[in-house]
């Protein structure tokens, strides 16, 4: 029987240099889109996809993330006194269950592959998901939930979220060499991390959602440094392809690169225009700004 994906790894050790000075003392994963930090969207997406255990690979300066996913008794009692029960309920609902969250320090930032490897003991010998909070996805059904469905349909395998990107941007992504392709699912025959456009096997990029078999840990253990002199997850996956099937899923939804200023601003506008509590007033503001451009 197909093993359920119960655990998700959230690599949150990155420095966020593209958002300085905002990220000097605050983790980039705590930047809010409307009123929720990026990492909250990532955890909510995982919960929607049925994830039960949440493993954060953190680094120095990231303890606020731990506080964010903890109870705040002082705040809760003030909200209660003031009768703000809806806010209180929302806060409590956003917390993962007690005992379901683990934090591991990645002592040196050696790349995404190394960050994932750090979660090895907590994940153990079962399939797991990886979510990069920088990649925020606005969709009706959570992207990871779509990937779980694809995994069920295929009877297992490793699943990557995939999206076509402009050809000149291939050097920002892991790029898929496609095999069989039904326009939604695509067989992955090779993967290259951040190739120059002239060397890229396609313009189909890996977006920050992965469902992986635990064999990846054995490969990451001995993974040589790759692009940017870092231990790259993509390189380990590329080795793993020889023994384990991989599929890319062209998910339904809009992805925002919140590791980038423009992508982050775009996400704020798109989410605010989608939410019932902000759409109308904010829509008026956006229309009036646009009229003056
Ligand atoms: C990481 C991965 C890359 C992937 C990208 C998606 O790169 O290494 O393969 O395409 O996330 O956002 P990063 O953006 O951390 O440099």
């Amino acid at each position: 029987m197909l093993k359920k994906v119960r655990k998700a790894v959230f690599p949150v050790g990155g420095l966020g240099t593209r958002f300085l000075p905002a990220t000097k003392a605050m983790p980039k994963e705590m930047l809010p889109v409307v009123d929720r930090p990026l990492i909250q969207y990532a955890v909510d997406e995982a919960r929607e996809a049925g994830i039960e255990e949440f493993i954060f690979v953190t680094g120095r300066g990231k303890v606020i993330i731990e506080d964010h996913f903890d109870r705040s008794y002082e705040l809760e009692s003030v909200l209660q006194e003031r009768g703000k029960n809806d806010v209180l309920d929302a806060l409590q609902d956003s917390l993962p269950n007690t005992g379901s969250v683990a934090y591991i320090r990645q002592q040196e930032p050696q790349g995404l592959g190394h960050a994932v490897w750090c979660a090895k003991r907590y994940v153990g010998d079962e399939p797991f998901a990886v979510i990069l909070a920088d990649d925020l996805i606005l969709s009706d059904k959570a992207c990871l939930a779509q990937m779980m469905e694809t995994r069920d349909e295929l009877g297992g395998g490793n699943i990557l979220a995939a999206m076509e990107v402009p050809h000149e941007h291939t050097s920002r992504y892991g790029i898929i060499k496609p095999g069989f392709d039904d326009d939604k699912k695509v067989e992955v025959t090779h993967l290259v991390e951040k190739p120059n456009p002239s060397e890229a096997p396609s313009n189909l990029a890996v977006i920050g959602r992965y469902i992986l078999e635990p064999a990846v840990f054995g490969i990451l253990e001995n993974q040589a440094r790759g692009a940017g002199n870092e231990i790259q997850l993509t390189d380990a996956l590329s080795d793993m392809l020889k023994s384990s099937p991989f599929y890319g899923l062209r998910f339904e939804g809009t992805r925002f690169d919140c590791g980038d200023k423009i992508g982050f601003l775009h996400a704020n506008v798109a989410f605010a225009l989608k939410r019932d509590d902000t759409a109308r007033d904010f829509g008026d503001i956006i229309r009036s700004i646009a009229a003056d451009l």
Side-chain angles (χ1 to χ4, degrees):
M1 207 180 86
L2 191 57
K3 265 197 187 167
K4 186 174 183 301
V5 181
R6 302 183 311 118
K7 301 182 181 179
V9 175
F10 302 85
V12 292
L15 290 177
T17 49
R18 284 188 280 174
F19 276 99
L20 286 168
T23 49
K24 190 176 166 203
M26 185 184 70
K28 62 173 174 165
E29 296 79 10
M30 290 301 293
L31 289 169
V33 169
V34 189
D35 54 6
R36 284 157 70 197
L38 288 170
I39 192 65
Q40 180 79 55
Y41 287 96
V43 165
D44 290 350
E45 179 176 335
R47 292 170 90 199
E48 192 184 327
I51 295 293
E52 297 160 9
E53 294 187 35
F54 307 82
I55 303 162
F56 293 82
V57 182
T58 72
R60 277 179 293 283
K62 301 279 181 167
V63 279
I64 304 180
I65 296 178
E66 299 185 33
D67 291 340
H68 181 76
F69 290 108
D70 198 355
R71 303 273 304 261
S72 170
Y73 289 102
E74 199 182 337
L75 179 62
E76 287 176 22
S77 70
V78 172
L79 290 172
Q80 208 154 21
E81 271 165 32
R82 296 185 184 168
K84 301 214 174 220
N85 292 329
D86 47 342
V87 184
L88 187 60
D89 289 349
L91 269 190
Q92 286 172 346
D93 286 349
S94 68
L95 287 185
N97 294 336
T98 307
S100 67
V101 188
Y103 299 92
I104 307 163
R105 287 266 192 145
Q106 182 188 18
Q107 287 152 331
E108 296 153 61
Q110 295 191 53
L112 179 60
H114 180 255
V116 171
W117 175 82
C118 288
K120 178 179 179 211
R121 286 200 190 86
Y122 286 80
V123 172
D125 191 24
E126 54 182 286
F128 65 104
V130 177
I131 299 190
L132 307 185
D134 281 2
D135 281 324
L136 179 60
I137 297 169
L138 181 59
S139 55
D140 291 336
K141 180 179 279 179
C143 178
L144 189 62
Q146 298 179 39
M147 293 166 69
M148 297 281 200
E149 282 180 7
T150 299
R151 178 174 179 268
D152 288 346
E153 267 169 41
L154 291 166
N158 304 277
I159 317 284
L160 313 175
M163 182 181 108
E164 258 85 25
V165 297
H167 209 271
E168 62 275 21
H169 292 174
T170 57
S171 60
R172 301 180 188 177
Y173 298 96
I175 297 291
I176 294 172
K177 182 174 179 192
F180 172 78
D181 188 343
D182 70 3
D183 289 337
K184 191 176 164 211
K185 298 184 292 297
V186 47
E187 182 196 358
V188 178
T189 62
H190 187 48
L191 282 167
V192 195
E193 180 67 3
K194 304 198 167 88
N196 288 326
S198 59
E199 283 152 21
S202 76
N203 66 336
L204 187 60
V206 177
I207 298 307
R209 304 287 184 276
Y210 308 76
I211 297 176
L212 301 175
E213 292 295 324
V216 70
F217 291 119
I219 298 174
L220 282 169
E221 189 101 32
N222 302 308
Q223 188 64 52
R225 286 169 187 272
N229 199 30
E230 294 190 330
I231 299 174
Q232 295 291 353
L233 180 61
T234 306
D235 294 344
L237 302 185
S238 176
D239 283 357
M240 210 171 140
L241 270 169
K242 294 167 198 150
S243 51
S244 189
F246 272 76
Y247 304 91
L249 171 70
R250 290 188 184 86
F251 55 91
E252 282 170 26
T254 310
R255 171 260 185 178
F256 301 92
D257 176 6
C258 290
D260 171 79
K261 279 193 256 298
I262 299 296
F264 175 73
L265 294 168
H266 188 181
N268 265 289
V269 173
F271 276 73
L273 291 178
K274 192 87 185 169
R275 274 179 43 165
D276 291 344
D277 59 338
T278 46
R280 214 190 49 189
D281 290 351
F282 192 62
D284 289 346
I285 292 171
I286 290 286
R287 269 185 292 276
S288 90
I289 292 177
D292 289 343
L293 283 179

